Amino acid sequence: MSINYRFIEKTNLKYERRIKVLVGVILFIFLVILIRVGWLQIVEGEKFLRLSQTARLRLIPLANPRGLIVDRNERVIADNTASFSIGVIPESLENPEKTLLKLKSIFPDIDLRKAEVKVKKVKNPFRPVVLKEGIDISKVTYIEERGEEFPSVVILSQPVRSYPYGKLLSHIVGYLGEVNKNELKNLSFLGVEAGDLVGKMGIEEVYNSYLQGEKGGRQVEVDVYGRVLKTIFQKDPLPGDTVYLTIDVNIQKIAREEMGNRKGVVIIANPYTGEILSMLSLPSFDPNLFARGISGEKWLELSRNPENPLENRAVRGEYPPASTFKIVLVTAALETGKATPFTKFYCPGYYKIGKRIFKCWKKEGHGWLNLKDALIHSCDVYFYQLGLKLGVKNIIHYARLFGLGKPTGIDLGSEKKGFLPTPEWKEKLYKEVWYPGDTANLSIGQGYILVTPIQMLDLISAVANGGYLVRPHLVKKIVDENGNTVFNFTPEKVKKIPISKSTLEFLHEALAGVVKRGTGWRANNKVVKIAGKTGTAQLAGDKNPHNWFIGYAPADNPKLSIVVLVENKKEEISIAPQIAGRILSRIFDNTEK
Amino acid sequence: MWLSKKKLDWWLIIPVFFLLAWSIIHLYTICVGTSYYYFQRQLIWIGIGTFLLFLFYILPDTIWFKLSYIGYIAIAILLIAVLMKKEAIYGAKRWLEIGFIRFQPSEFAKLILILSLARILSNRKEIGWKITIISFLLTLFLSLLIAAQPDLGTALIFLSLWFVLIFVSGISLRKFLIIIGTILTLFPISYTFLLPYQKMRILTFLEPQRDPLGAGWSTLQSKIALGSGGLLGKGIGGAAHTKLRYLPQPFTDFIFSSIGEEWGFLGVLTIITAFIVMVIRGIILGLREGNSFSGLFITGFTVLIAIQAFINMGMASGIIPVTGVPLPFVSYGGSSIFLFLCGVGIILSFSKRGS
């Protein structure tokens, strides 16, 4: 018993030693905790207090509505609507599979596998994961009414640009896209940040600084789910200005209907002010596609389309002017005195320069013609000879006076300037002299010369308005949210072309004759008398020709000038004057009623 | 008559009820303005737990020795039953429903394990390899069942309990050093068996900047909540970081951080003091009993309190990886509250003889 007792004594001593070690270890780890917490709270307390506050304070950008774009009758062309997307907050999502399955039953195109990966691999589980964008308002209300059935499901709303007329006005209004680095440099002073949408084309681009407005912001205290608890500071958003266009949607619609499924351009303007009432480039695209961010697939489809639907042919298409250029030759001939209205040339249907034979479009020939009849019937042989008599320098000089070879200055970005050839240019590029044959080709608007439809509008407007080159434009005025006009387009006459009154009168008579009894007879109609000039542009290769009509109406008191260009339509020769006639008759028919 | 002889040990009782009071008051203040769900339920758990404490206190202390191995078998069955369940909560199977009662068997397994280890290791003049290995296998079996839930934190607590108990019950230093050597060799190997989320937690702990929004989020928010409390705290109801729910699990895993935010360093100091008093008193009571069954149980259970307090507070202050280990007597949760109050009840029943 005593042995046993000593044994207990001994083990208890060992036990005591071990317990002391244990107590030491435990006290040590509690001390570690105490020091650590003291460090966090006392030494670094200030820092964490600041962190705690910044985590709770958030700057919520307040989206400002982008300015509207309206036509001359205040019909809204570019509007703002709300777009809804649906998302989930992964942090509080207790049964992701079930919730996702339930959402899929409402939105069948949610990819369950992808969505699950998205929800589970999220970096910040407190930020909503967007599962589907652009959802229907009816589905929004469906889900909102059944909130309890959809825990952690949130509906996010954002403003989105909408273009009620879709394809009709695409090249004029343009479209929006995410701001790129270069644009950011120029736009950052407006508060534009990466990820914002800015105008990428057309009016949206050119007048972006007016349309953009200014974003507002609200500094708020939020909980971890982003619920706003208290507003601390607020800066109200500034809506963008309203841009009033010179466009008349009704006229645009008429032009669109008359062009049918053809490719080409229609421009209609006031020849005195340069106000453009209609500008149509076909084929076109739907700018609404870009409003929510276009898919890569759709973008490739549009940008690689060989028919270039994204290109505004009215200002960026370069074509040979063909016979419409004969207006320039007539003016040059009369102004320089190289010819009079009575100058006659004979047309046997062809003309020989050296060994080369230049044909007239009329094989059997026109016989003897004076200047007026030559223009009315668009006799090529007459103009070969007139051109040779004038010389290339005079022709190019008058072409320049009419504004060819340089941009018109229309308020649309990236306008092309066409091309006027000179002998110096040809020698430099081809190491070849300028042949008389080149002059002959130039005289009928073929060869190297290129013009844009908007340049031809300027040219024919100058003929109609008494010789003034006016700058074509699309914006009438810009009005801010308080109704103050911040920009007003005052019609400016770029310059007076030195054309005498008699030359203008001669042109007016001749161009009226073109429609009355010449190549433009298809433009004839019962409503309005039209004056103008046709053209058929021969293209290199085996392509079908383009068909031009440039003109104005009424012939004796011009109110509108018009350019119609139809691309590649062999089976419909002289379709352009016919379309111009139909469009103008419908416009004047409407205005008279 | 016999009840009056059994004196309560106030040195142990007071810090326990001090922490319970903290728990209730704190849950109340962070519930203000929302729902009192957590506050009310915790009140019920503490009520039932207190009843169990006194029940265990007055029960004859001999039953625990008898119940230890039976309890071991029962808890092993329950843990297997948990693993057989189909659905998981937060990706883990920890809960078991019997009737309308829903509880975590792994919490009660801690109590059972300490009882079993106390029984096998008690009253031995020398701990031989045989006993060492048997006791280790008993521990390992339960640990593996819990690690499979998966709940690595609790499984590691089990292994540490064995480690501490084998040390205090008198294993020779030579054997003890061999065990430490083996553990150190096995550590890197066992890392490869961890699940990706567990590895992530350890990596995040080692390098918090690694993933500030994912696994590092909890630790970061916890440190912000705790640190922003400063010396005196933000006052009752002023714990914005907790209230705005930046702090995850403010009622359970991170209750220490939210107390630190509201009450500052002074609040933290009282809590740590309460734990120190409680643990030292527990160890003194254990020492009084020697390396007997009751002595080892008291020491083991006191060590459990210390380990959990250390892990929980270490996790909240960012010196230990995030594991879902509740703070004894303070964190919300029925299973945890019951476990600790039952344990204290058993300690009190053992210690009434001595005094």
Side-chain angles (χ1 to χ4, degrees):
Chain A
M1 198 64 199
S2 61
I3 299 162
N4 195 22
Y5 177 77
R6 270 167 61 201
F7 151 69
I8 290 171
E9 279 281 282
K10 198 180 153 200
T11 44
N12 271 356
L13 270 176
K14 189 176 170 190
Y15 184 68
E16 240 182 271
R17 270 206 315 275
R18 295 254 162 127
I19 291 285
K20 276 180 189 160
V21 174
L22 185 65
V23 170
V25 171
I26 290 175
L27 285 181
F28 174 74
I29 62 172
F30 277 122
L31 191 67
V32 168
I33 294 286
L34 204 61
I35 291 171
R36 170 65 178 180
V37 175
W39 175 267
L40 291 179
Q41 295 195 304
I42 298 167
V43 182
E44 292 196 294
E46 290 284 310
K47 177 186 121 190
F48 283 115
L49 190 60
R50 219 172 39 245
L51 275 174
S52 160
Q53 279 162 353
T54 48
R56 281 155 30 214
L57 300 183
R58 197 170 289 174
L59 188 70
I60 297 183
L62 295 176
N64 61 314
R66 196 175 164 84
L68 300 182
I69 302 175
V70 299
D71 87 337
R72 64 188 305 122
N73 300 315
E74 299 194 18
R75 266 171 293 224
V76 178
I77 291 170
D79 202 352
N80 304 301
T81 53
S83 158
F84 298 98
S85 34
I86 191 142
V88 292
I89 295 171
E91 202 277 338
S92 53
L93 196 60
E94 288 197 358
N95 194 337
E97 288 85 1
K98 200 174 148 195
T99 306
L100 288 179
L101 216 68
K102 210 154 173 208
L103 285 176
K104 192 177 166 73
S105 68
I106 304 171
F107 307 104
D109 47 345
I110 289 180
D111 185 334
L112 273 185
R113 267 220 339 266
K114 273 188 197 163
E116 225 182 297
V117 170
K118 248 175 152 181
V119 170
K120 285 186 174 161
K121 298 228 165 127
V122 70
K123 276 215 141 190
N124 181 353
F126 298 90
R127 198 169 289 165
V129 172
V130 173
L131 296 175
K132 183 158 169 54
E133 291 180 330
I135 60 173
D136 233 49
I137 184 76
S138 63
K139 287 177 175 174
V140 170
T141 43
Y142 179 88
I143 287 170
E144 277 180 344
E145 279 167 5
R146 292 160 183 78
E148 319 86 70
E149 289 176 42
F150 298 93
S152 303
V153 171
V154 286
I155 285 160
L156 309 156
S157 129
Q158 65 197 94
V160 70
R161 197 68 155 165
S162 80
Y163 304 99
Y165 292 100
K167 283 181 154 185
L168 184 65
L169 295 149
S170 46
H171 296 102
I172 299 169
V173 290
Y175 58 85
L176 299 182
E178 218 167 270
V179 65
N180 65 35
K181 273 185 189 162
N182 287 332
E183 292 164 336
L184 206 53
K185 274 183 212 151
N186 302 324
L187 293 170
S188 55
F189 73 96
L190 284 169
V192 175
E193 293 165 303
D196 286 354
L197 296 176
V198 296
K200 291 283 184 182
M201 181 187 170
I203 297 296
E204 292 274 33
E205 182 192 18
V206 176
Y207 292 93
N208 188 69
S209 53
Y210 289 99
L211 291 164
Q212 190 90 48
E214 244 179 272
K215 268 188 292 190
R218 187 193 289 159
Q219 201 178 34
V220 290
E221 191 180 62
V222 293
D223 71 5
V224 76
Y225 304 109
R227 282 187 295 233
V228 175
L229 303 166
K230 198 158 63 180
T231 299
I232 291 162
F233 170 80
Q234 178 161 342
K235 179 184 175 244
D236 290 326
L238 200 68
D241 303 333
T242 302
V243 172
Y244 288 75
L245 298 186
T246 57
I247 292 290
D248 185 328
V249 168
N250 282 344
I251 294 181
Q252 182 86 356
K253 274 184 184 159
I254 290 172
R256 179 71 195 82
E257 282 164 23
E258 295 304 335
M259 282 295 276
N261 58 1
R262 302 172 185 93
K263 284 182 288 173
V265 174
V266 176
I267 313 174
I268 299 164
N270 178 330
Y272 298 95
T273 60
E275 283 179 20
I276 292 176
L277 298 166
S278 166
M279 178 187 273
L280 188 66
S281 170
L282 295 172
S284 61
F285 63 94
D286 185 356
N288 287 307
L289 287 177
F290 295 84
R292 290 187 191 103
I294 189 167
S295 70
E297 215 174 296
K298 270 264 158 55
W299 168 252
L300 281 181
E301 196 186 308
L302 276 176
S303 58
R304 288 196 181 160
N305 187 330
E307 301 199 328
N308 283 323
L310 290 174
E311 197 83 298
N312 184 357
R313 288 162 155 80
V315 296
R316 289 181 57 79
E318 293 176 305
Y319 308 87
S323 298
T324 60
F325 192 63
K326 287 170 183 166
I327 294 173
V328 175
L329 265 91
V330 169
T331 309
L334 290 174
E335 288 301 314
T336 55
K338 297 272 180 189
T340 68
F342 310 107
T343 304
K344 286 190 174 181
F345 288 107
Y346 184 75
C347 169
Y350 62 90
Y351 186 68
K352 247 176 132 177
I353 303 172
K355 283 178 186 169
R356 281 183 71 189
I357 288 172
F358 289 79
K359 286 181 188 160
C360 186
W361 64 268
K362 196 176 176 184
K363 272 183 200 162
E364 56 275 29
H366 289 93
W368 282 101
L369 287 163
N370 64 18
L371 186 59
K372 189 184 280 177
D373 285 336
L375 192 63
I376 286 170
H377 298 293
S378 202
C379 172
D380 293 337
V381 169
Y382 188 101
F383 278 91
Y384 294 143
Q385 296 173 75
L386 187 64
L388 288 169
K389 207 174 171 192
L390 269 166
V392 59
K393 282 199 178 138
N394 276 327
I395 298 170
I396 294 300
H397 176 68
Y398 275 88
R400 286 220 175 92
L401 288 178
F402 272 107
L404 301 183
K406 59 174 188 278
T408 62
I410 185 173
D411 46 355
L412 279 178
S414 58
E415 184 187 358
K416 288 261 172 88
K417 58 179 186 179
F419 182 70
L420 290 179
T422 60
E424 296 77 37
W425 162 81
K426 194 190 172 193
E427 267 166 49
K428 214 171 156 191
L429 194 72
Y430 293 102
K431 310 265 181 282
E432 215 178 48
V433 293
W434 183 271
Y435 296 115
D438 293 326
T439 307
N441 257 336
L442 178 64
S443 305
I444 59 161
Q446 293 285 160
Y448 306 111
I449 184 171
L450 290 173
V451 297
T452 64
I454 193 74
Q455 285 174 331
M456 295 315 280
L457 178 88
D458 243 15
L459 184 148
I460 197 66
S461 292
V463 173
N465 68 22
Y468 292 94
L469 261 188
V470 293
R471 185 146 81 96
H473 63 274
L474 286 159
V475 170
K476 217 174 157 66
K477 61 175 178 178
I478 299 176
V479 177
D480 73 8
E481 61 160 334
N482 302 320
N484 304 319
T485 302
V486 290
F487 174 91
N488 209 340
F489 194 94
T490 39
E492 48 179 310
K493 282 161 184 162
V494 172
K495 68 177 180 219
K496 170 84 172 73
I497 305 170
I499 315 180
S500 64
K501 224 176 165 190
S502 59
T503 303
L504 279 168
E505 267 167 27
F506 177 84
L507 279 173
H508 290 162
E509 277 173 38
L511 293 176
V514 169
V515 175
K516 214 165 150 188
R517 56 190 175 92
T519 51
W521 63 273
R522 284 169 204 267
N524 268 320
N525 62 81
K526 285 173 187 164
V527 180
V528 64
K529 254 176 87 183
I530 299 172
K533 183 73 193 82
T534 58
T536 303
Q538 302 296 330
L539 297 168
D542 205 13
K543 277 193 199 163
N544 293 323
H546 299 330
N547 197 208
W548 283 97
F549 182 80
I550 64 173
Y552 51 87
D556 39 12
N557 177 24
K559 287 197 170 114
L560 297 177
S561 48
I562 186 168
V563 169
V564 176
L565 172 72
V566 180
E567 281 185 12
N568 309 118
K569 279 279 182 184
K570 190 168 195 176
E571 63 275 22
E572 289 188 313
I573 244 157
S574 302
I575 187 68
Q578 194 178 337
I579 291 171
R582 283 190 197 143
I583 293 171
L584 289 171
S585 66
R586 281 180 67 182
I587 295 170
F588 282 96
D589 202 23
N590 285 346
T591 48
E592 269 156 35
K593 279 174 195 165
Chain B
M1 226 8 229
W2 49 273
L3 192 70
S4 60
K5 281 189 221 160
K6 297 162 187 170
K7 270 193 166 172
L8 275 172
D9 191 88
W10 293 106
W11 281 106
L12 190 62
I13 281 283
I14 288 171
V16 165
F17 281 91
F18 178 77
L19 288 177
L20 291 175
W22 253 113
S23 174
I24 292 177
I25 294 168
H26 185 69
L27 286 175
Y28 180 82
T29 63
I30 62 173
C31 281
V32 171
T34 56
S35 126
Y36 290 101
Y37 176 86
Y38 289 100
F39 165 72
Q40 287 164 347
R41 308 251 304 186
Q42 183 79 338
L43 212 55
I44 295 169
W45 303 143
I46 289 177
I48 299 173
T50 309
F51 169 77
L52 288 175
L53 184 147
F54 285 106
L55 178 71
F56 285 19
Y57 169 63
I58 50 180
L59 283 177
D61 58 5
T62 47
I63 62 162
W64 305 114
F65 186 83
K66 293 171 197 153
L67 276 178
S68 54
Y69 288 165
I70 302 165
Y72 185 93
I73 293 163
I75 206 76
I77 291 169
L78 287 180
L79 285 173
I80 292 167
V82 167
L83 289 180
M84 310 279 266
K85 272 184 17 164
K86 282 197 186 100
E87 54 194 293
I89 294 176
Y90 298 124
K93 298 171 183 172
R94 293 178 189 175
W95 299 86
L96 198 65
E97 287 99 4
I98 295 179
F100 60 93
I101 308 166
R102 193 157 152 269
F103 68 104
Q104 285 177 285
S106 58
E107 289 297 305
F108 298 97
K110 292 170 183 167
L111 188 75
I112 301 289
L113 178 75
I114 298 170
L115 284 172
S116 305
L117 287 178
R119 179 164 175 177
I120 197 168
L121 296 172
S122 58
N123 295 322
R124 292 184 193 276
K125 62 175 178 193
E126 186 61 58
I127 307 284
W129 280 118
K130 189 179 148 201
I131 293 300
T132 308
I133 287 167
I134 291 175
S135 64
F136 176 71
L137 289 177
L138 281 177
T139 312
L140 186 69
F141 179 57
L142 292 187
S143 297
L144 289 177
L145 286 178
I146 286 163
Q149 287 183 356
D151 184 355
L152 196 70
T154 307
L156 284 175
I157 289 174
F158 277 40
L159 293 171
S160 358
L161 280 173
W162 169 77
F163 185 74
V164 173
L165 280 177
I166 206 136
F167 173 73
V168 295
S169 58
I171 195 169
S172 71
L173 274 180
R174 196 178 61 86
K175 288 196 188 101
F176 193 65
L177 289 175
I178 292 172
I179 291 170
I180 292 178
T182 318
I183 292 171
L184 290 179
T185 358
L186 286 177
F187 232 70
I189 300 171
S190 56
Y191 179 80
T192 56
F193 288 104
L194 294 181
L195 292 174
Y197 91 93
Q198 292 167 330
K199 284 184 188 174
M200 193 65 200
R201 280 183 179 174
I202 292 173
L203 290 176
T204 307
F205 164 69
L206 295 173
E207 195 192 341
Q209 298 85 344
R210 200 184 168 86
D211 185 11
L213 297 178
W217 171 270
S218 310
T219 307
L220 183 69
Q221 297 304 326
S222 171
K223 276 162 72 179
I224 291 176
L226 192 58
S228 64
L231 183 65
L232 299 171
K234 296 178 182 171
I236 295 174
H241 213 75
T242 303
K243 288 204 115 179
L244 304 180
R245 308 178 86 167
Y246 282 94
L247 182 68
Q249 319 274 8
F251 305 109
T252 54
D253 294 357
F254 288 102
I255 195 164
F256 182 68
S257 317
S258 83
I259 291 176
E261 187 185 15
E262 205 171 81
W263 299 91
F265 187 66
L266 290 184
V268 167
L269 198 63
T270 62
I271 286 188
I272 293 180
T273 309
F275 275 115
I276 290 175
V277 170
M278 182 191 302
V279 166
I280 289 184
R281 185 60 187 170
I283 283 175
I284 289 172
L285 292 177
L287 194 60
R288 224 186 256 169
E289 303 286 315
N291 67 344
S292 63
F293 171 70
S294 54
L296 284 182
F297 174 81
I298 295 173
T299 311
F301 198 81
T302 308
V303 166
L304 174 68
I305 294 173
I307 290 177
Q308 285 211 186
F310 170 66
I311 292 179
N312 182 279
M313 294 189 286
M315 168 180 100
S317 55
I319 54 174
I320 284 182
V322 174
T323 51
V325 173
L327 187 62
F329 308 107
V330 184
S331 283
Y332 168 83
S335 298
S336 167
I337 289 289
F338 290 170
L339 159 73
F340 286 103
L341 290 180
C342 290
V344 170
I346 297 173
I347 292 177
L348 290 174
S349 82
F350 283 144
S351 60
K352 71 194 170 195
R353 291 178 312 197
S355 51

